[in-house]
């Protein structure tokens, strides 16, 4: 019988195996995931799972019965250690070897670690897995001082949960503004104000140089400028690193991600890759990307699953993302940096507005705060390369339908 092996038990892997069965593949499916959990969603880890609003069952993509009923064999808590492409085998950490006809590598990414003085002290946490969050939650407590290194989306989501839970929160950002890597100065300023208004201390231009503590536990964060910021708990959120080592050792091309084409194929016709670990082309944007986003992981997983089963699906989506902070849902489509002008619809003071970005008059991106309709309309307009009249776009009384 034909066998598909999927390495990685995350969002892309979970979606891929569901799509394989949905697409009619009746052969063997084996999933190898090094975490002990069923494939799960990471977004709640810095949001509802961290705050305790969602139990672990809600975080899983699907219940165990889903995999049993579809005869999808899960090898959980097991690491894939070596891929032999000539022999079509994967060697596992439990001593087993799996033979494959087609292989999907969906190894995702891991938190980038700091290797500075004191980074191995207890109380210095990263946030990537359920296990990480369980450890963080156990250390949460009203009045405790939490210092977050990194003012990106994950750091700020943690800040919003922590300050709401009554912790004293400080965010340290080495750049001159939070969210610098991902958004415009105006959006950075908006989120800066939002957080400081809720009691979060934000320090920009502040680079962490080490951690100090006694008895193996962190007590303070040290900065390059010589400060010592007291902390009971530290979260480091300074980006991710794609898990490409397995693919690279198997001789597959890697360049800031496993290199695939728009069919999620590597140069080996029997090996595919999907999700955070890939460097893939985006025809609509006219360039290659490596993305850290659920919609990308799901879409690539669907494409890979279809093509492994003899299909001819191509990936062509405008990237989109979201972030939840306090009662605000930010939805983003496209990249604001691709625009040469911006149009705001709504009033940021009401926490309900959308900033549209245009390039040569063509709509290329949106940042929509508590504005799901504007976000949805923009996705369609970006797909259609719409050229809306900026004055009408800025006027909330003009229905967006008229501008499409
Ligand atoms: C805290 C947090 C919040 C986020 N919030 C959002 C959000 O709001 N919106 C959004 O779009 N995205 C968000 N993301 C990003 C999103 O979760 C990722 O883009 C998505 O999980 C990627 O899925 P993936 O399957 O490619 O990789 P992963 O989810 O990283 O899964 C890969 C899995 O493969 C396993 N693995 C790796 N190597 C091996 C091996 N050799 N053998 C076996 N298993 C292996 C890993 O342990 C991991 O479990 C967030 C991420 C985090 C960490």
């Amino acid at each position: 019988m034909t066998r598909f092996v999927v390495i990685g038990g995350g969002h892309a892997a979970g979606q891929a195996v569901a799509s394989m069965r949905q697409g009619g593949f009746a052969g063997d499916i084996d999933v190898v995931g090094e975490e002990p959990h069923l494939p799960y969603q990471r977004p709640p880890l810095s949001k509802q799972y961290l705050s305790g609003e969602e139990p672990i069952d809600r975080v899983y993509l699907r219940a165990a019965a889903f995999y049993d009923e579809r005869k999808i064999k899960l090898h959980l808590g097991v690491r894939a250690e070596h891929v032999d492409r000539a022999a079509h085998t994967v060697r596992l950490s439990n001593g087993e070897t799996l033979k494959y006809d087609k292989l999907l590598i969906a190894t995702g990414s891991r938190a980038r670690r700091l290797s500075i003085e004191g980074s191995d002290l207890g109380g210095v946490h990263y946030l990537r897995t359920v296990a990480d969050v369980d450890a963080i939650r156990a250390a949460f407590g009203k009045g405790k001082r939490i210092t977050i290194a990194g003012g990106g989306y994950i750091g700020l989501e943690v800040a919003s949960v922590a300050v709401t839970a009554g912790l004293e929160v400080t965010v340290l950002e080495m750049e001159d503004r939070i969210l610098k890597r991902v958004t415009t100065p105006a959006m950075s300023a908006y989120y800066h104000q939002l957080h400081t208004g809720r009691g979060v201390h934000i320090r920009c231009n502040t680079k962490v140089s080490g951690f100090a503590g006694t008895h193996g536990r962190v007590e303070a964060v040290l900065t390059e400028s010589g400060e010592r910021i007291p902390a009971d708990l530290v979260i480091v959120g300074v980006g991710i690193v794609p898990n490409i080592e397995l693919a690279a050792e198997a001789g597959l091309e890697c360049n800031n991600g496993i290199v695939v084409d728009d069919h999620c194929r590597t140069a080996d016709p029997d090996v595919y890759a999907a999700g955070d670990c890939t460097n893939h082309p985006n025809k609509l944007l006219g360039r290659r990307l490596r993305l850290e986003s659920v919609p990308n992981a799901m879409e690539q997983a669907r494409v890979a699953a279809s093509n492994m089963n003899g299909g001819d699906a191509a990936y062509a989506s405008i990237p989109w993302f979201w972030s939840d902070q306090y009662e605000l849902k930010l939805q983003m489509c496209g990249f604001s940096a691709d625009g040469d002008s911006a149009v705001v619809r709504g009033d940021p003071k009401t926490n309900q507005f959308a900033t549209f970005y245009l390039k040569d008059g063509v709509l290329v991106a949106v940042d929509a705060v508590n504005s799901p309709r504007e976000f949805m309309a923009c996705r369609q307009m970006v797909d259609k390369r719409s050229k809306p009249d900026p004055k009408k776009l800025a006027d909330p009384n003009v229905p967006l339908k008229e501008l499409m």
Side-chain angles (χ1 to χ4, degrees):
M1 192 172 322
T2 306
R3 179 189 265 170
F4 290 171
V5 172
V6 180
I7 303 177
H11 221 122
Q15 179 59 47
V17 296
S19 297
M20 285 168 188
R21 286 294 186 234
Q22 220 171 11
F25 177 66
D28 290 333
I29 301 178
D30 286 71
V31 181
V32 183
E34 70 176 327
E35 291 185 65
H37 298 283
L38 293 169
Y40 65 89
Q41 315 169 59
R42 283 176 214 280
L45 299 189
S46 50
K47 308 175 183 78
Q48 303 89 336
Y49 185 68
L50 178 63
S51 67
E53 282 163 69
E54 271 191 7
I56 186 75
D57 292 359
R58 294 272 300 278
V59 175
Y60 292 141
L61 279 174
R62 294 174 181 87
F66 177 90
Y67 304 95
D68 291 345
E69 283 159 12
R70 287 160 185 77
K71 297 195 168 32
I72 296 166
K73 190 163 180 201
L74 302 177
H75 305 253
L76 299 179
V78 178
R79 192 173 163 73
E81 291 193 323
H82 180 72
V83 174
D84 183 336
R85 292 195 290 126
H88 278 62
T89 55
V90 182
R91 196 181 69 227
L92 311 187
S93 56
N94 63 2
E96 261 185 85
T97 296
L98 296 176
K99 190 132 180 80
Y100 67 82
D101 293 286
K102 302 273 181 205
L103 176 68
L104 175 62
I105 303 179
T107 44
S109 51
R110 58 184 181 270
R112 195 164 77 75
R113 302 213 155 228
L114 295 177
S115 50
I116 50 180
E117 181 193 344
S119 40
D120 54 351
L121 284 169
V124 176
H125 297 268
Y126 294 82
L127 203 169
R128 182 78 203 169
T129 65
V130 164
D132 293 338
V133 181
D134 289 345
I136 293 167
R137 270 170 46 173
F140 258 41
K142 223 176 173 156
K144 283 205 180 170
R145 295 161 305 181
I146 180 171
T147 298
I148 299 166
Y153 284 122
I154 288 181
L156 295 177
E157 287 180 353
V158 173
S160 78
V161 172
V163 82
T164 305
L167 283 84
E168 200 181 300
V169 185
T170 303
V171 175
L172 306 179
E173 170 55 58
M174 67 178 197
E175 299 289 353
D176 56 359
R177 60 182 172 95
I178 55 170
L179 299 173
K180 185 166 186 175
R181 190 172 67 90
V182 288
T183 196
T184 59
M187 286 300 284
S188 291
Y190 172 79
Y191 272 96
H192 191 113
Q193 240 180 354
L194 174 77
H195 280 278
T196 52
R198 305 287 170 119
V200 174
H201 308 283
I202 300 182
R203 309 266 301 268
C204 293
N205 298 308
T206 304
K207 190 166 179 187
V208 174
S209 60
F211 305 100
T214 47
H215 310 300
R217 282 209 63 82
V218 71
E219 286 174 347
V221 179
L222 310 175
T223 73
E224 237 176 36
S225 58
E227 277 183 282
R228 185 187 161 94
I229 299 167
D232 302 308
L233 175 67
V234 173
I235 313 285
V236 181
V238 293
I240 58 130
V241 180
N243 291 322
I244 55 155
E245 290 76 5
L246 195 70
E249 281 160 18
L252 296 165
E253 186 188 353
C254 295
N255 176 12
N256 184 27
I258 303 167
V259 173
V260 293
D261 66 9
D262 64 352
H263 283 52
C264 298
R265 293 178 294 222
T266 67
D268 180 330
D270 293 330
V271 183
Y272 293 71
D276 275 17
C277 63
T278 68
N279 167 336
H280 59 273
N282 188 308
K283 244 197 323 237
L284 302 172
L285 297 174
R287 60 182 189 263
R288 296 191 74 89
L289 302 168
R290 180 176 62 71
L291 292 174
E292 299 151 27
S293 99
V294 164
N296 172 64
M298 291 182 63
E299 185 57 16
Q300 281 198 311
R302 288 191 200 102
V303 167
S306 167
N307 294 337
M308 289 167 78
N309 200 20
D312 184 27
Y315 174 94
S317 297
I318 295 291
W320 62 275
F321 315 87
W322 78 92
S323 175
D324 297 331
Q325 293 166 54
Y326 309 103
E327 69 284 4
L328 271 60
K329 178 171 277 298
L330 168 64
Q331 292 169 296
M332 299 152 272
C333 157
F335 296 99
S336 51
D338 288 343
D340 54 26
S341 62
V343 171
V344 180
R345 184 180 173 100
D347 182 358
K349 287 196 201 88
T350 64
N351 290 339
Q352 189 176 12
F353 68 101
T355 307
F356 295 95
Y357 303 93
L358 302 109
K359 182 170 173 57
D360 300 328
V362 177
L363 191 63
V364 292
V366 71
D367 290 328
V369 174
N370 284 349
S371 302
R373 258 184 300 163
E374 281 70 11
F375 168 71
M376 289 308 292
C378 182
R379 281 185 69 190
Q380 292 178 30
M381 287 158 82
V382 171
D383 271 347
K384 289 185 188 159
R385 301 188 57 78
S386 297
K387 269 191 162 186
D389 174 346
K391 277 205 190 95
K392 289 185 178 167
L393 195 57
D395 182 353
N397 296 317
V398 178
L400 286 168
K401 264 193 259 161
E402 275 180 29
L403 305 176
M404 286 189 189

